[in-house]
Amino acid sequence: MSMEFLIATAIGALTWAGIYLSLRGRTFPVVLGVTMLSYAINLFLFAIGRLKVGAPPIFSEDAATYTDPLPQALVLTAIVISFGMSALVVVLSLRTFLETGTDQVDGEPDPAIDPLDGDREEWIARRNAHRIDMLGETRP
Amino acid sequence: MTTLLDALVAFLIVLGGAFALIGSWGLARLPSLMTRLHGPTKATTLGVGGILLASMAWFPLHSQEWSSHELLITLFLFLSAPISANMIAKAYIHRRFRRCSAPEDVETELPAPPGEGTDWATFGSSKFDDTRTGRP
Amino acid sequence: MHRLLPHPGLTAMLLVMWMIVFNSLNLGVAILGLVFAVLVPLFSAPFWPERAKLRLGLPLVGYVFLVLYDIVVANFHVARLILFKRNKDLRPAWLSIPLELQSAEAITVLAGTISLTPGTVSVDISTDARHLLVHALHTDDPDGEIAQIKQRYERRLMEIFA
Amino acid sequence: MIDIALKIALACVALAMLLNLWSLLKGPTAPDRILALDTMVINAIAFIMLFGIFADTTVFFEAALLMAMVGFVSTVAYTKFLLRGDIVE
Amino acid sequence: MSLSISDNLAASLIAAPIMLPSLAGTMALIFRRRRRMVAAGISIGSTALQVLIAVALLLRASQSDPTPYAMGDWPAPFGIVLVLDQLAAWMLLLTSVVGFAVATHAALTKLDRKGWNFHPIFQFQLLGINGAFLTGDLFNLFVFFEVLLIASYGLILHGQGARRLTSGVQYVVVNLTGSTLFLVGLGILYGVTGTLNMADMAARGAQLAQGDRGLFLAGGLVLIAVFALKAALLPLHLWLPRAYSSTAPAVAALFAIMTKVGAYSIIRTTPLIFGDVAEPILLPAALGTIILGFAGMLAARGLRDMAAFGLIGSTGTLLVAIALFDGDGLAAALYYLPHTTIAAAFLFLTVDLVVRWRGVEGDAIVPTPRFAGASLLAFLFLAGGVALAGLPPLSGFFGKLLILDAALASPQAAWIWGVILVTSLIAVVALARAGSTVFWKHDETPELPEDRDPPRLVQALPSLFLLALLVGLTVFAGPATRYTQGTAAQVLDTPLYLRSVLGTASPPSPTAQGDAP
Amino acid sequence: MHLVLIAVLPFIGCLLLAAGGRLSRNAQTLVALAPVLAGLWFLGGTAPDILSGSVQAFRAEWVPALDLAFSLRLDGLAFLFTGLILGIGLLIVIYARFYLPGDEALGRFLSLLLLFQGAMVGISLSGNILLLLVFWELTSLSSFLLIGFRSGKAEGRQGARMALAVTGGGGLALIAGLLLLGHIAGTYELGALLARGETIQASPLYPAALILILLGCFTKSAQFPFHFWLPHAMAAPTPVSAYLHSATMVKAGVFLMARLWPVLAGTETWFYLVATTGLVTMLLAAVVGFFKQDLKGILAYSTVSHLGLMTMLLGFGTPGAAMAALFHLLNHALFKAALFMNAGIVDHEAGTRDIRKLGGLATLMPITATLGIVAAASMAGLPPLGGFLSKEMMLEEAAHTVWSGQDWLLPMLAVLAAAFSVAYSLRYIFHLYLGPRRESYPAKPHDPPLGLWAPSALLVVLTILVGLAPNTLTHALMVPAIDAVTGGRAPTFHPALWHGLTPALGMSLVAVAAGAFLLWRHAGLQRGWDVANLPDGKALFESLVERLVDAARVVSDAIHNGSLQRQLAVLFALAIALGAYGMVQGGYTPGTHETLPAHPVAIVAWLLLLSGIAAVLVAQQQRFLTLVFISVIGLVVSLAFVYLSAPDLALTQISVETVTILLMLLALNLLPKKPSRLSSMPLRLRDALIGLAGGGAVGFAAWAVMTREPNDPISTYHWENSVSGGGGHNVVNVTLVDFRGFDTFGEITVLGIAALTIFAMLQPAARGAAGQRLRAWIAELPRSPERHPMMFAVAARVLLPLATIVAIYIFLRGHNAPGGGFIAGLVASIAMLVQYMASGFEWTDARRRIDEHLLIGLGVTIAALTGLGSLVFGAPLFTSAFGHFHLPLLGDFELASAMAFDVGVGMTVIGAVMLALAELSHIAVRANKEDTGTKAAEAGPMDIDPARLRETNGETPA
Ligand code: NA
Ligand code: NA
């Protein structure tokens, strides 16, 4: 196995997961998907400068070899930009959920579990019935 | 001299690696979170510590430059590791004991602090009650 | 002076850090370091309103080396436990350590020391700040353990945080 | 000699990280996973230092430093979330 | 390179459309705590100045070959160059006039007070758009795309509300994904050509080994997909209708220019770098876009929807002309481009006034009580409809004639003619239905609400300004088409572009460059 | 120059009237009359010239790219038509002044009327067929406004829309047709084009051009089957009908057919298309007109029928027939305008236009009756009136025209049409004016004031005079027009009441007799007609449009269903397909670049990464877990950057990662945790396949690029010039702040705007529905009562200065070693965020000293000013300068302007990160201000503060 193979497959896997997640119907997985995609793309942009081990782009006269610095600069810029964008998406999806009571983005009406409609007790009961364990722990 | 130092460095490196592994092994095999917590926060600390020491010794030996950076990393680790452990433990007891009720756990029951009307901070704050503790 | 140097100890520590991080004993680096070592606490002082009463001196140095020594020793101890002790033979215990230390900083250092040395982890503090909850990985003598912690660390810290 | 030591240590660290992965996936509780992740970060720091010796460069020192600082922050954030839900309040 | 200060300043005017809004934006931000008038004043002043600068640049561009401007004094292709040519100047002028109208409209209608930081974000929006038009570097184009996108997120959400937020999420995520694809395409292109400069990439692309060509084209086509997404080309237009119809109409008015950024990028890169690979794909997509856009107009239930679909349709018409990729087609496209942009912006501003003055039903195409200012709005709506449908006497008619004329040379001429003409009819029907319902038909039952904006005629000035621009584009269609013909020729003259930017028609070698200046 | 004035004056009048809204009605009328009179005057001035057979032209370049010029051309035909437009226009203006009630906006009406007139004159005078198109479409538009002038009435709106749709649609066909025509002829200039008939008719495009042009003409002139719009356009105020449907708009189609007759007519296609359409229209409309009950409806169908007549004549393709058509154009204009005005007067005075409620008006309003009867007689084609003359000519032409080998067909149908024409005309006379008076009328009928009847009287007089002395009156006018169309090939123009016993006379007599018979049997026929209930064109049209709208809605709603998934799926699929297409088009050979062997540790990391990805996918629903797993991915990516020689990237990745996690945790707390509605299995399969294709494609692209030799990348230059030209050893950093500093400038702008937008988004979140939801929000997990654990709070105090020093260090060395402003800014922000986490928002925020907005603003400004600074030194923007300095004590050091730029970067980063996260972190607090906010404010930096506890317990600290 070569490094190139590892990186290429890693990029492929990240892209796959990113695409799959971003095609889900709610904002959170979409945000996850977007995050995965930006990992993939950062690695990808980095990889197009070809891979080198132990040859960081710090100039010295006697450096026998160095890695292509330009893609790294591009990735840095891309990381920063995608960070800003992700932050915005996260906040936007939260904000939208707060405003509308739903985080569905598949264009279908949401069987909303919204505190703003109906009786509060009933809402709590419904919510608890629907809630899932976000920690992945089995409840005692 | 150099060989001796090299040997020392090599020893430290292997020691560090070994402790890193032991810590993680402990994490993987110990029976409950509180016991698992002891593995990494200690063995790993020395594991990294050994490697850092090795690194400090190695660079002056081989690159004619001395290196003190490692001290800073150590400082950060020593500052942060106990807090991490503390917070993980708090999270754990909060979720597991929520005031002493964890029958299925291997842990013994959590003792209450001796004082009158006191409790561990995770379970009760002295200053104000949270109206929204989230128990629906 | 107080306003210029809200935390002299911190300033000293930052300066040392600066030198470490620059890996240099150059005077220029030191001067620049001093500038920042003075400026940065000025910026961070509002977030650290109390003046920590820390005695910089031999007891502190001694304490540091003591802890380092304990860490090394106990690491081997814990390694043995991890590698060779069967789970069912482990006797973990909760220790409730009464505190005499009175400042948050001092208690934190004690708790940190406990956590750093193998086999014990500081878990929580009581709401009256008079007890520290510690978990021990394996002990046959919880009270002895408590006494040792108080005697070996807390006593020294009482001196340092006078 | 150092080369061999490095190889051994790297192997140890790699193995340790695999063990961490195992712990992480296994859980069972959320604090367990956080602990596993925290440990993985520390092992990663070890890896970076070893690699620095291996590659004879101090250029990765900041990466290790930052990882030490920042690994702590994530751990605290995760646990704070478990304790309070709200990490800043 | 060392110049006298005045020469240097004159040369640096090229960068002014980027630096000016940047400074204006930050100033508006820094002074935002003062009275809001300050921010508005800065913003309007900045856009007005941008108009003047754009005129100056247009005059300069029309008299010379493409002029590179090396940022940081690093020569192309190693640093980032801005390139001023006729195309860029044309787009800059368009942006600045639309920006001026919208900024003024926003201030006059107090839209800027409906949320935070309107003017700073507005200026950054212009910065991004202007940058995209000026840059000669593909990655820098990406950066400016991001600037204009993120600012557009801010603007599109300005004022908020559930509908705006819901469609905002979609707009943001889709465009974010587009940005990701941009980087994929860009990455492949750098990996294969080793350069980011457009001219250099064109030169190197032409010399690629056969085995590299597939990757090169794949990268190029992915980029074109991204540009098509921005241009809202079928089937990548899905994001636009909701986004534009749910945001503040004045913002949508500015966004009329956004689809043109996509169109511009296609014009800029395709003939230069990727050659004819995209041609067979673009034309059918553009035709479909027209059909769906104008059908959407007919289907619209609100004026904002209608304007949004009209924008899609007219952008489709534009892309048909672009997809011809010949001098006549491009010249026609470049004449039609400002028309359709201004027309759509104009219609959106008018719709904004309708929503404000009418009050009761917002923009719904239903009868409402008689309201003050209706006849002015009816006139404006009529003019907007005429413009968008491409009827005489406004410039859209000439634009369409030019496109039809240019399309005669295409083997698909019958399709192009049929689609453009039939959809024009659909647009006419849709606009007549909507206009007659909203302005002619009266529902006397409901009371006019108290909280609607009382009509202030001054608020219609920015719309009238845009209308005047359309009239100007009509009256001066002769000079304008002469300019666009020259522009088209310049765009298609790849060797000229390479010589102008690189100083040579072959790619300069990075190793042979010696030391920096 | 007079030509230009004639063409432009109506528009000037239009603008004047639009501006002069406050003038009195008389003044408005005068303003409207002025341009018309002036136009007539100028036209009159050209008469000697034009009527002697010459052509006047004016040409100004407009859009050379299109060969579209502002080109005017006045010949006999244009003269005739312009004269009609202006002359009748003049009368209509006067008529309208008296017709329109006081509460209707006369000024606006006249303004639109002049706009329309201008457009018509434009059509008539255009010397360039593209210019003609402009005016053509303008007539559609202005007539739309005129027909819909009484917009309050549904009939008016619908009529207007229908007219616009049909004539506008035809106009679009005409665009195509004329473009083709010009393309064939090689010119759009009318003068030149008219000389190229042979070229045009020989072209393979001729049939297409012809059909398209005819579509334009037929729709405009209301030819079957496009005739249905015209009767409904009668909803317009009568002056409009009188104008549009007698002399102008509907004649435009006929005019254009006449205009292009020299180059289009004469072929078989032309004959069958045009003559047949005309014939059918003439007949059908006459029949329908006979059964209409509305006066204007009768006139409208009559108009359609007469337009059919003219069309048919032009369609015959013979010069004689063309001559007849032109003569009828004139006659029809005279009597039809008069009739419309007449019907308007009846409506105005008797209060209805329903012929069933009228009758016997002759004695009540004698003047009106006289005028109406004479004009209707002319319409019937009765001698000695103008209408008779041209109808005779028509019948004469029809008599010897053979249609598809059938010589009897056309004459017979023409007679039949003429019979119905006579019938409805007589009906107008008898059922309206003659016969017994009614008991009552909706209003008491009486003759109108002079102003209302005088215009029609003038026309009636003219139609009589034309009938009596046709040669004297019309010869001079008609011959140049006829010559312009036929090129002088027409037989001598010699209209006369008596031509002898011609077949036409016989046909005419038959028609009159049959017409009278029809009227006699009207009641019965009408019942039959009503029972037959033939389909109504309007209803068909409306339902067609409705169905079109419905279909459009179905399609549009189905496509634009608001699903993000669809949008993304399409985008991904398309991008993948395009990429693949490019690969196939361009070809691919594997690269030859040597690969790196994979180190076992790398394989372990790879396994970690894949496991992380798999874990995220599996744990999708367990949101907290996914974040933990995402961290693993981030960690491995950072390690990969370390291993593969990208220290800067590693640093950035590590710090960004953390901030992102903080952000996600903040949001996760408030986002709902209900289970996703799972997509259907096929959908998931689809997504997995798209993902697979995308992953495969990107992975392959990465592989393909990595395994080929680099193509002499430009970064070699960066490497070589980094120290000498950029003053830094860290090539990545020099690239960021110098070689490509402009990118970085854009990048920090992005970050700043993101933060501003987040701020703007979150500010109102505590109000409205969002605020309500926040207040109703219940924590998902059980919460520990402790907010700010002591140990953490203490650690944060120490961490803040330490991390700040580290940040400064990272910043300072960035130019020469990994680091720089961005990473430093992130580190500082993280330290600050730790402080927020440890001691809470309120407490920390109260101690914060600088406003984040300001930081962002200043940061971007500093970066921009650094960029601008180089201007002063005569260098382009963003040109950096650096130097090595020596100071006593401090030793050697380097200063670079790029560092100032980097300061801006760092400031922006801190400002942006802090603004976004701090704002997000306390929306819930803000929403709950009343119940928790105050408590949080009085809380200290830690919940359990030993010192304070002892103090409150009365203990003195030791
Ligand atoms: Na950057
Ligand atoms: Na311990």
Side-chain angles (χ1 to χ4, degrees), chain F residues 209-222:
Chain F
L210 178 64
I211 290 172
L212 289 166
I213 292 171
L214 289 178
L215 271 175
C217 296
F218 289 171
T219 49
K220 201 77 160 183
S221 285

Side-chain angles (χ1 to χ4, degrees), chain F residues 53-67:
Chain F
S54 49
V55 174
Q56 287 196 0
F58 170 86
R59 187 181 150 93
E61 282 296 340
W62 192 354
V63 195
L66 269 175
D67 190 23

Side-chain angles (χ1 to χ4, degrees), chain E residues 32 44 72 84 86 95 122 124 134 156 170 181 183 231 234 250 256 306 309 347 374 400 403 406 418 456 480 501 504:
Chain E
R32 82 194 188 293
I44 293 172
L84 176 72
Q86 295 201 168
T95 310
F122 188 88
F124 291 132
L134 274 171
I156 214 162
Q170 309 209 349
L181 289 175
L183 288 178
L234 186 86
M306 181 165 256
F309 277 107
L347 196 58
K400 281 197 174 167
I403 293 174
R456 286 170 52 225
V501 175
T504 152

Side-chain angles (χ1 to χ4, degrees), chain F residues 50-104:
Chain F
I50 301 301
L51 297 185
S52 65
S54 49
V55 174
Q56 287 196 0
F58 170 86
R59 187 181 150 93
E61 282 296 340
W62 192 354
V63 195
L66 269 175
D67 190 23
L68 164 61
F70 188 77
S71 168
L72 302 176
R73 187 170 177 280
L74 184 65
D75 62 358
L77 179 63
F79 186 88
L80 169 68
F81 201 46
T82 312
L84 276 178
I85 294 163
L86 290 175
I88 295 183
L90 183 73
L91 301 177
I92 294 291
V93 170
I94 298 168
Y95 179 77
R97 156 68 184 82
F98 294 97
Y99 183 86
L100 243 51
D103 60 348
E104 275 193 304

Side-chain angles (χ1 to χ4, degrees), chain E residues 72 137 140 160 170 212 436 516, chain F residues 161 562 708 721 740 743 760 877:
Chain E
D137 183 285
N140 198 234
Q160 305 187 27
Q170 309 209 349
D212 290 346
S436 63
Chain F
R161 287 205 304 246
R708 51 193 57 222
N721 290 286
R740 301 188 67 88
D743 275 346
L877 291 165

Side-chain angles (χ1 to χ4, degrees), chain D residues 6-88:
Chain D
L6 278 173
K7 275 186 185 147
I8 295 171
L10 278 173
C12 286
V13 171
L15 207 55
M17 287 179 86
L18 279 180
L19 285 170
N20 297 152
L21 177 68
W22 164 250
S23 308
L24 181 75
L25 297 179
K26 187 185 72 164
T29 70
D32 278 302
R33 299 185 206 263
I34 297 172
L35 178 61
L37 182 65
D38 191 61
T39 313
M40 197 186 274
V41 172
I42 291 178
N43 283 325
I45 295 170
F47 168 78
I48 293 175
M49 298 312 299
L50 288 173
F51 182 68
I53 299 174
F54 176 81
D56 190 13
T57 171
T58 55
V59 86
F60 301 115
F61 151 72
E62 284 80 10
L65 179 67
L66 229 57
M67 226 175 234
M69 200 174 115
V70 137
F72 158 71
V73 177
S74 337
T75 302
V76 170
Y78 285 130
T79 51
K80 190 87 202 312
F81 185 88
L82 292 182
L83 282 164
R84 290 287 303 169
D86 209 351
I87 63 170
V88 176

